[in-house]
Amino acid sequence: MTASAAFRELQSSIELFSREMIALGAPAVIVEARSGAQVWKHAAGLRNAATGTPAGPDDPMVMGGVSRSMLAVSVLKLAEEGILVLDAPASAYLAPADIPPGGAAATIRGLLADPDSGRTDLLLRRVVEVLRGTGYSEVLARDILDPLGLRTVAVYGPEPIPPGVVHGYVQLNGKTVDVMETGALGSRGAQLFGTVGDINAFYSGLLGGKLVAPSSLILMKGSVLTEYGLGLDQWQDPCTNGNYYGHAGDVPGYGVMSLSSADANRQITIAVAYPPAPLAEAPSAVALEITSLAQVVLNAGCRFRFG
């Protein structure tokens, strides 16, 4: 199918954003956009600055906060099975040694509704591991990866980093260093790797009812008066007068933004290895650019199909 003029304009916008990011020092930019059965992929920059290997559209990248949506699936499946109560405190399922200071009173629902991940996600993962009696990698495979046939999502574990992963960089003491070698991402097991295609496929499966019960999906989406539910962000979709759903991921060295229409017919996931910068508490300004670009892409999807 020949791409429409609207699509070519949009494709140029994405490529311009990519060139600007690379010019600013971003190691890599990877994008996958979907409309119906049609898919468009883009990759620019380097997978690994040390080796000079070019980035590819199917290279895995640290997913950051996007993994919260996956974790929410595992938590809500426990609730569906009657193994977990959302309004119970996390302390009801964990040993005292597993609970960080000040976390004893937090409910499972409250933890899932907190957009700031980090320690919250590790606490929820521990709850899932205890109640399932196995490691999070096995839970992830059972709840999401196997049902959807995803093969490249993986937990950042103690084994060596796979060669295909996109490396991110930060500045420490005036030097640019590889995030994978600094511990800036937190403890091993705190992050997931995945491709932009994996992320789109996950949200398509989730919104299509393949992973959780309809009642659980409603909880994940949240009410119309909130911007965040139990594991999903929402943004207004002017094409349908409904909402887009997805999640942003902002961690040292990386930013990911994934957005899907409610029927998952229009999707985009943008992953950027940030221009190296000192570690900071505030989200990167690039994260806001990615979010704006993703909305522009899906909004323009009202007028064209990807070709």
Side-chain angles (χ1 to χ4, degrees):
M1 175 179 176
T2 302
S4 67
F7 172 72
R8 289 195 297 271
E9 178 183 348
L10 179 60
Q11 181 177 339
S12 297
S13 297
I14 294 174
E15 292 174 341
L16 175 61
F17 166 82
S18 178
R19 288 196 299 271
E20 289 176 344
M21 285 293 101
I22 298 298
L24 289 172
V29 176
I30 302 178
V31 181
E32 182 183 273
R34 292 177 172 267
S35 181
Q38 299 179 83
V39 181
W40 180 71
K41 298 184 179 185
H42 167 83
L46 301 176
R47 176 192 298 165
N48 187 335
T51 63
T53 307
D58 297 316
D59 287 348
M61 194 179 288
V62 174
M63 294 165 58
V66 169
S67 61
R68 163 63 72 87
S69 298
M70 294 185 174
L71 178 57
V73 167
S74 293
V75 172
L76 288 169
K77 288 179 76 69
L78 285 165
E80 289 173 8
E81 296 170 26
I83 299 173
L84 172 150
V85 177
L86 290 176
D87 292 315
S91 58
Y93 306 106
L94 298 177
D98 289 327
I99 303 173
T107 66
I108 302 298
R109 187 189 302 272
L111 292 170
L112 275 179
D114 179 4
D116 298 320
S117 305
R119 294 181 182 178
T120 298
D121 282 6
L122 288 176
L123 186 59
L124 286 169
R125 280 195 192 185
R126 186 59 188 145
V127 169
V128 169
E129 290 176 334
V130 167
L131 294 180
R132 288 299 187 197
T134 189
Y136 185 64
S137 292
E138 289 72 25
V139 175
L140 186 69
R142 167 186 157 169
D143 291 345
I144 297 170
L145 308 187
D146 291 345
L148 297 181
L150 301 181
R151 296 288 173 253
T152 53
V153 175
V155 176
Y156 176 38
E159 62 276 357
I161 304 301
V165 168
V166 173
H167 288 241
Y169 302 86
V170 294
Q171 292 178 354
L172 291 178
N173 301 319
K175 296 181 179 180
T176 298
V177 297
D178 192 327
V179 169
M180 301 294 179
E181 300 172 357
T182 66
L185 288 173
S187 60
R188 294 274 182 159
Q191 299 291 339
L192 298 182
F193 292 122
T195 69
V196 289
D198 290 332
I199 296 171
N200 278 339
F202 162 68
Y203 283 114
S204 178
L206 173 63
L207 295 170
K210 296 180 180 179
L211 297 178
V212 296
S215 58
S216 294
L217 184 56
I218 289 173
L219 291 176
M220 290 188 70
K221 290 179 176 179
S223 73
V224 295
L225 300 178
T226 62
E227 294 182 353
Y228 194 77
L230 301 187
L232 285 175
D233 272 313
Q234 61 174 262
W235 298 263
Q236 185 178 8
D237 178 0
C239 302
T240 64
N241 290 323
N243 289 317
Y244 296 130
Y245 297 99
H247 214 292
D250 180 79
V251 295
Y254 300 93
V256 178
M257 182 67 209
S258 187
L259 223 60
S260 297
S261 58
D263 61 2
N265 185 65
R266 290 171 290 126
Q267 294 185 286
I268 186 167
T269 296
I270 303 170
V272 178
Y274 289 149
L279 294 175
E281 292 293 330
S284 169
V286 179
L288 299 177
E289 292 187 53
I290 298 172
T291 300
S292 297
L293 179 62
Q295 292 178 79
V296 168
V297 168
L298 293 198
N299 292 349
C302 302
R303 300 182 288 113
F304 68 87
R305 295 180 61 84
F306 294 110

